[in-house]
């Protein structure tokens, strides 16, 4: 667990308690040593979080005090909820899990009126638990990982005329167009940037090499090219 996540979990565990929470129980919850708990609590106290108590006794948040709530306007909170729902439905298992975790953390520190507003949001992105959805999520995860690792890929691709071709590409980004996903990449066969519709990629293989971060064919150059000719086909 990252230290920032651990500090958040300490505050969350103390929130609303009437009795002191022993350090040993915190250590078991966080799966860290007692020494780590003592150090983390001391750091929180020095940063102004109103935690009272000491080693061997336990810790509570000072009565009548609390950490400041996250201050979102209703429309900001709704945007976060809708974004998390869309990530869960369309962005693969990796980002779906991240969105769910982020929303749990946000909801844990929201004041009651905003928590209720989040529950009332009426914009949904339904998730269908079927084979097609699972297969597509794996494709998104595979491409997302390749982009992060700068891993060149071999694609089998069909263009709009249904003509197949084999490509070696340097993947740069994924884009969702409200119905279709595309992979933005440098295509070595074309010697130029191309957008590949994911539903027209039949095979994705590792090209067994990582590519260098070259500004001439990197993400910023790709975005500039898209602005000039946004619909360049694969």
């Amino acid at each position: 667990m990252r230290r920032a996540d651990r500090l958040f979990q300490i505050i969350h565990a103390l929130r609303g308690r009437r009795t002191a929470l022993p350090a040993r129980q915190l250590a078991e919850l966080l799966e860290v040593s007692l020494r780590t708990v003592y150090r983390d609590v001391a750091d929180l106290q020095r940063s102004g979080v109103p935690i009272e108590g000491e080693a061997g006794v336990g810790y509570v948040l000072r009565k009548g005090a609390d950490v400041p709530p996250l201050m979102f306007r209703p429309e900001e909170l709704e945007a976060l909820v809708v974004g998390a729902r869309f990530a869960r439905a369309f962005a693969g298992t990796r980002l779906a899990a991240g969105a769910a975790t982020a929303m749990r953390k946000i909801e844990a520190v929201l004041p009651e009126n905003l928590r209720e507003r989040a529950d009332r949001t009426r914009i949904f992105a339904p998730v269908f638990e079927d084979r097609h959805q699972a297969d597509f999520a794996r494709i998104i995860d595979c491409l997302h990982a390749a982009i992060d690792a700068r891993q060149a890929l071999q694609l089998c691709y069909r263009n709009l005329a249904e003509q197949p071709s084999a490509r070696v590409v340097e993947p740069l980004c994924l884009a969702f167009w409200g119905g279709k996903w595309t992979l933005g990449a440098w295509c070595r066969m074309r010697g130029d940037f191309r957008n590949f519709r994911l539903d027209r990629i039949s095979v994705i293989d590792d090209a067994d090499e990582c590519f260098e971060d070259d500004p001439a064919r990197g993400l910023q150059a790709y975005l500039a090219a898209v602005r000039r000719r946004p619909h360049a086909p694969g």
Side-chain angles (χ1 to χ4, degrees):
M1 182 184 296
R2 295 181 310 165
R3 183 171 182 272
D5 292 334
R6 199 169 64 239
L7 296 179
F8 174 89
Q9 291 292 344
I10 290 173
I11 295 171
H12 183 54
L14 297 177
R15 186 183 301 276
R17 288 186 62 91
R18 295 184 178 180
T19 59
L21 181 63
R24 186 171 299 280
Q25 190 172 336
L26 266 175
E28 292 173 356
L29 173 68
L30 302 171
E31 298 181 345
V32 296
S33 67
L34 276 172
R35 183 175 181 180
T36 298
V37 169
Y38 297 150
R39 184 176 64 244
D40 286 349
V41 170
D43 288 343
L44 287 169
Q45 289 171 326
R46 282 193 292 270
S47 68
V49 178
I51 296 175
E52 294 182 340
E54 58 186 33
V57 177
Y59 301 102
V60 293
L61 280 173
R62 186 181 307 135
K63 187 176 180 179
D66 203 350
V67 294
L70 290 177
M71 298 307 294
F72 292 116
R73 296 196 303 271
E75 62 272 19
E76 294 172 336
L77 177 61
E78 190 164 21
L80 290 173
V81 172
V82 172
R85 289 175 178 175
F86 271 76
R88 180 171 178 262
F90 302 118
T93 56
R94 174 181 170 186
L95 287 183
T101 301
M103 284 308 304
R104 283 197 296 271
K105 291 180 179 179
I106 291 171
E107 289 169 355
V109 295
L110 284 175
E112 186 64 28
N113 64 315
L114 285 182
R115 193 177 304 120
E116 291 176 357
R117 175 60 184 258
D119 292 338
R120 293 199 307 268
T121 299
R122 292 297 183 261
I123 299 178
F124 296 98
V127 177
F128 300 99
E129 301 293 344
D130 58 21
R131 176 66 179 272
H132 174 75
Q133 183 79 9
D135 289 345
F136 194 77
R138 281 191 288 271
I139 292 172
I140 293 287
D141 289 344
C142 173
L143 293 174
H144 193 178
I147 291 167
D148 281 351
R150 296 197 182 99
Q151 176 66 54
L153 297 172
Q154 295 177 333
L155 307 180
C156 290
Y157 187 72
R158 294 178 293 107
N159 63 18
L160 293 176
E162 299 297 331
Q163 296 172 326
S165 61
R167 310 292 185 94
V168 176
V169 303
E170 299 173 7
L172 300 171
C173 65
L174 288 163
F176 183 62
W177 300 88
K180 299 293 182 184
W181 279 93
T182 59
L183 171 69
W186 175 264
C187 177
R188 292 181 180 176
M189 185 178 83
R190 301 295 191 195
D192 201 354
F193 297 111
R194 287 294 185 268
N195 295 314
F196 298 93
R197 274 178 44 175
L198 268 56
D199 60 334
R200 293 187 169 274
I201 299 173
S202 57
V203 178
I204 303 173
D205 286 326
D206 191 333
D208 293 325
E209 68 169 289
C210 292
F211 57 91
E212 298 296 325
D213 187 12
D214 184 345
R217 59 177 193 267
L219 178 61
Q220 294 307 313
Y222 163 81
L223 294 174
V226 167
R227 285 191 288 270
R228 292 194 300 271
R229 45 184 176 86
H231 302 298

